[in-house]
Amino acid sequence: MELLQYFLDNLELLGTLTLEHISLVGVAVGIATLTGVPIGIAITKNERIAKTVLYIASIIVTIPSIALFGIMIPILSIIGHGIGYLPAVIAVLLYSQLPIIRNTYTAINNVDPALREAARGVGMSQNQRLRMVEIPLAVPVIMAGVRTAVVLNIGVMAIAAYIGAGGLGTLISRGISQSDPRQLILGAVAVSVLAIIVDYALLALQKRLTPKGMERAAAAT
Amino acid sequence: MIRLDNLTKVFDTPKGAVTAADHISMEVPSGEICILLGPSGCGKTTTLKMINRIIRPTSGKVFINGEDTTSLDTQDLRRNIGYVIQQIGLFPNMTIEENITVVPKLLGWDKARYRERAREMMHMIALEPDAFLKRYPSELSGGQQQRIGVARALAADPPVMLMDEPFGAIDPINRAVIQDEFLKMQQDLKKTIMFVSHDIDEAIKMGDRIAIFRAGKLVQYSEPDELLAAPKNDFVESFLGEDRALKRLNLVKVRDLASEEIGLVRPDDTLDTALQRIESYGYVNSIVMVNHKRQPVGIITAAVARTTQGHCRDHYQSVPVVVSLDDDLRKVASLMFAHDMTWVPCVDDDGRIVGQVTQRAITHHLGSRYRAHSKEDDGAALGEASPSSATKE
Ligand SMILES: Nc1ncnc2c1ncn2[C@@H]1O[C@H](COP(=O)(O)OP(=O)(O)OP(=O)(O)O)[C@@H](O)[C@H]1O
Ligand SMILES: [Mg+2]
């Protein structure tokens, strides 16, 4: 009851922090998509490079976020951004690479060789093949990677409050330092609910972006 | 015209070099269908794919209409060659219309023209444009997809077509229908076609020429009748099967061996006359009665003619079995067996009797080619194993 009252009293703050959270993750994953998809496509050309890139991306994911923030403080201090917005976005950007690159790489690689041959046979150039056949067919799997990245990083971003990036993590960190369970619980619940809602929203988007003729095939998988 | 000049492909595999195509030289005249035929792994697909450079030749050249294709831009080359791949390969993210118009679009046709072309293609392959153009490949049956695959290859009206087992994925009944439709289209379109098959009956039906492959080598390249009549060696002979003589029946038309000589009676002739003619022409059972236009109206059986007096007009039975000049001998032979006849009358387009085909003429026709063949190289023939021992191996 007390918690509900607290929730209602702080609705405005909650709204502001949620928007901040979404924009941090949105910007970071957005940039990550713009870099990860081309990288994922590029590495389909060479298996050895692909293995190396995917290996590096998975190592990055194993670095605990607190440690990553710690590493970035001295480096980014050089340009005066040791803490705050920039390191938070960079961390999310790095964590997002693995799901996005891996899904793009897998999806493009898994395009039916017969379709690839048909595309060559009708006289498409390499770019036309990508644009007209391979990427449209890969979109559902690429989108699934973006979803994973977003959900994963909504959690990571909560920790970024410790380096002053803002977002819903602020409630959690304040709750801990002020021994205020109401703030702590509200922050934690808000982060989880946000992750679930965004996941569903992106799933809907993924369905919209799936080429029409593939809906049946996509539903089967 | 397609000409292959010592076309060779060697694949480097972990287990060593595999020669998939070994100095293949052949020529397909413009407007003809050439079937590449042979057992699995003999290099048919490899040879075909070197023509549109899906596979890069190790050595040798491909000429299309006299032009060396190595000097052409690969994409231009492919846009001017219709290609039907074995796995159909329709793009699942595109509608049927988008699939069919993909090459015209790449060639930069304007929208009105390629949309019109899509409708034209649908009529050609006997599918209703309004019902299908906006659908996706996953919503079509296998046979319908295969037709769309052919339509896609034909859409930009390329002079040359490559087809890799284009009707392989269809059940036998529908396959026969699509084959017939395709042959009918080809009569108007006159494309130069390389067509891979491993079905001998399909090869004989579709091919103007047949190229038999074995282990990367072109073993024999002949017209179907020549191939069946004179297989070059034991391999070809056993590959064609022991019923190859019967297969030839498909290829010969009534027109080719009908004789004009035929015994007939008129309604006014007496049954005595009928009996005499039955005997003098060597017809065992019956003779055909025709009207004043020489159209058959019935038959007089020998039994009736022998036991009855009177005129033919009062004693004829049922309409006789007839064949037309464009029927093939397989149909003729089948009718002869079914009706226990040693001859059948043949009629022209107006239904007038113009001659007859006899069982003897058929056996003689099939046999003469074999005799001619075995005389050519009788020395070799003696040394070679007989067909029966070849199949036992
Ligand atoms: N990419 C490749 N790498 C290595 N070997 C290959 C490759 N493609 C084909 N081959 C080999 O070349 C030979 C000829 O293959 P090809 O596909 O031309 O046969 P095919 O006559 O089309 O057979 P099928 O009737 O089974 O389709 C086979 O021995 C095959 O294993
Ligand atoms: Mg093949």
Side-chain angles (χ1 to χ4, degrees):
Chain A
M1 209 55 229
E2 197 190 352
L3 196 63
L4 188 65
Q5 191 57 46
Y6 184 81
F7 168 66
L8 293 173
D9 290 346
N10 292 283
L11 214 49
E12 202 177 323
L13 174 69
L14 194 65
T16 317
L17 291 177
T18 306
L19 283 182
E20 212 169 78
H21 207 101
I22 293 177
S23 85
L24 277 165
V25 175
V27 167
V29 177
I31 298 172
T33 308
L34 292 182
T35 56
V37 172
I39 293 175
I41 293 171
I43 61 176
T44 55
K45 302 283 169 254
N46 184 318
E47 204 176 321
R48 270 201 23 230
I49 295 176
K51 275 197 178 138
T52 315
V53 168
L54 289 173
Y55 187 68
I56 294 171
S58 36
I59 297 244
I60 290 175
V61 176
T62 62
I63 304 174
S65 47
I66 289 284
L68 193 57
F69 293 137
I71 298 168
M72 279 192 291
I73 291 173
I75 300 173
L76 293 175
S77 291
I78 300 168
I79 54 166
H81 288 279
I83 55 167
Y85 186 82
L86 191 64
V89 167
I90 290 180
V92 169
L93 189 71
L94 289 174
Y95 285 138
S96 301
Q97 294 301 315
L98 181 67
I100 295 176
I101 293 179
R102 190 181 46 202
N103 278 35
T104 305
Y105 172 74
T106 316
I108 298 282
N109 249 0
N110 283 355
V111 168
D112 183 352
L115 291 179
R116 209 170 290 219
E117 188 186 317
R120 287 209 290 152
V122 297
M124 290 185 191
S125 68
Q126 193 161 318
N127 283 338
Q128 285 165 333
R129 268 169 11 227
L130 271 174
R131 191 162 46 79
M132 298 170 77
V133 182
E134 295 173 11
I135 292 178
L137 295 180
V139 157
V141 181
I142 295 176
M143 273 304 295
V146 172
R147 256 172 69 209
T148 310
V150 169
V151 173
L152 177 82
N153 285 304
I154 283 177
V156 169
M157 198 52 92
I159 295 164
Y162 278 106
I163 54 164
L168 289 167
T170 317
L171 285 176
I172 300 175
S173 68
R174 258 198 260 147
I176 293 172
S177 61
Q178 298 170 6
S179 308
D180 179 357
R182 292 172 313 177
Q183 284 192 58
L184 179 65
I185 294 173
L186 186 62
V189 170
V191 169
S192 313
V193 170
L194 180 64
I196 293 169
I197 292 174
V198 169
D199 191 32
Y200 272 100
L202 287 175
L203 183 63
L205 180 66
Q206 177 180 337
K207 282 190 177 146
R208 283 277 308 271
L209 290 178
T210 302
K212 272 228 189 67
M214 290 178 58
E215 275 160 7
R216 210 190 289 177
T221 53
Chain B
M1 182 205 69
I2 306 172
R3 185 157 67 84
L4 312 185
D5 180 19
N6 282 303
L7 205 55
T8 300
K9 179 69 193 182
V10 181
F11 286 110
D12 284 321
T13 66
K15 285 187 195 151
V18 175
T19 308
D22 192 358
H23 295 87
I24 306 293
S25 294
M26 58 192 287
E27 187 173 322
V28 186
S30 295
E32 291 200 358
I33 300 180
C34 163
I35 310 280
L36 307 184
L37 184 65
S40 190
C42 64
K44 309 179 292 288
T45 297
T46 305
T47 304
L48 193 77
K49 287 185 186 172
M50 283 193 283
I51 297 171
N52 64 353
R53 285 199 246 147
I54 296 285
I55 292 177
R56 206 161 284 283
T58 306
S59 65
K61 284 190 170 157
V62 176
F63 296 86
I64 291 181
N65 294 328
E67 196 171 6
D68 181 352
T69 58
T70 34
S71 63
L72 300 174
D73 173 68
T74 304
Q75 272 142 36
D76 281 345
L77 175 74
R78 290 181 185 152
R79 289 171 192 174
N80 287 299
I81 297 178
Y83 183 38
V84 182
I85 72 169
Q86 190 166 356
Q87 308 87 335
I88 309 179
L90 297 182
F91 304 120
N93 55 320
M94 300 184 190
T95 60
I96 299 308
E97 179 167 23
E98 289 165 336
N99 266 286
I100 294 181
T101 55
V102 69
V103 184
K105 273 186 202 161
L106 290 171
L107 289 170
W109 291 21
D110 66 62
K111 191 168 178 184
R113 180 159 166 230
Y114 67 66
R115 295 197 62 179
E116 175 55 32
R117 182 63 177 162
R119 302 188 75 82
E120 223 175 278
M121 293 313 301
M122 293 300 276
H123 288 301
M124 194 184 276
I125 57 173
L127 290 177
E128 180 54 48
D130 294 318
F132 286 97
L133 280 178
K134 295 291 168 225
R135 289 209 214 164
Y136 286 89
S138 59
E139 300 166 331
L140 267 57
S141 75
Q144 289 166 340
Q145 290 185 21
Q146 209 132 29
R147 287 176 204 206
I148 302 296
V150 173
R152 176 174 67 184
L154 280 168
D157 205 17
V160 170
M161 298 267 289
L162 307 176
M163 309 175 79
D164 197 346
E165 305 200 28
F167 310 131
I170 315 181
D171 61 280
I173 294 172
N174 277 308
R175 188 186 312 160
V177 172
I178 296 188
Q179 284 169 343
D180 290 336
E181 284 172 5
F182 187 80
L183 283 177
K184 222 189 282 162
M185 281 192 313
Q186 168 66 359
Q187 280 185 353
D188 302 329
L189 299 176
K190 299 255 186 310
K191 305 288 181 197
T192 310
I193 300 173
M194 279 266 204
F195 183 125
V196 170
S197 176
H198 57 228
D199 175 358
I200 302 155
D201 294 309
E202 180 173 68
I204 292 165
K205 177 172 177 181
M206 309 289 291
D208 296 305
R209 284 153 198 272
I210 299 177
I212 305 269
F213 281 70
R214 179 193 197 182
K217 290 203 167 66
L218 176 60
V219 184
Q220 181 167 6
Y221 184 41
S222 315
E223 291 176 13
D225 192 51
E226 175 71 23
L227 179 74
L228 290 167
K232 222 174 208 167
N233 59 28
D234 287 347
F235 167 75
V236 179
E237 197 166 301
S238 68
F239 186 76
L240 295 174
E242 294 190 45
D243 61 341
R244 67 194 155 90
L246 289 180
K247 291 191 170 108
R248 283 186 73 203
L249 293 176
N250 284 326
L251 295 169
V252 187
K253 298 261 184 268
V254 168
R255 183 181 301 286
D256 299 335
L257 59 146
S259 80
E260 281 173 23
E261 206 182 328
I262 179 168
L264 298 170
V265 290
R266 304 244 170 208
D268 295 338
D269 289 330
T270 62
L271 288 174
D272 262 349
T273 317
L275 188 59
Q276 273 173 22
R277 291 206 184 136
I278 287 174
E279 279 162 5
S280 65
Y281 279 94
Y283 301 155
V284 185
N285 296 326
S286 56
I287 190 164
V288 176
M289 182 177 91
V290 293
N291 62 17
H292 63 284
K293 285 181 177 162
R294 268 177 90 88
Q295 288 159 333
V297 283
I299 56 170
I300 307 292
T301 64
V304 170
R306 222 172 265 129
T307 55
T308 321
Q309 295 291 315
H311 286 93
C312 292
R313 61 174 172 264
D314 301 321
H315 297 280
Y316 70 91
Q317 300 172 2
S318 64
V319 184
V321 174
V322 295
V323 293
S324 91
L325 287 173
D326 289 320
D327 284 334
D328 62 43
L329 289 191
R330 190 185 166 106
K331 175 175 173 187
V332 177
S334 164
L335 286 172
M336 282 179 175
F337 286 128
H339 295 273
D340 189 21
M341 294 161 73
T342 55
W343 61 284
V344 268
C346 36
V347 295
D348 63 14
D349 292 341
D350 299 323
R352 279 190 269 253
I353 289 200
V354 287
Q356 66 174 347
V357 180
T358 64
Q359 237 172 48
R360 281 195 50 196
I362 294 176
T363 39
H364 187 79
H365 178 83
L366 296 181
S368 65
R369 295 292 294 273
Y370 286 125
R371 279 193 294 278
H373 164 60
S374 49
K375 224 182 293 164
E376 276 167 29
D377 52 8
D378 49 0
L382 283 175
E384 283 168 9
S386 67
S388 58
S389 68
T391 49
K392 254 183 257 151
E393 282 166 19

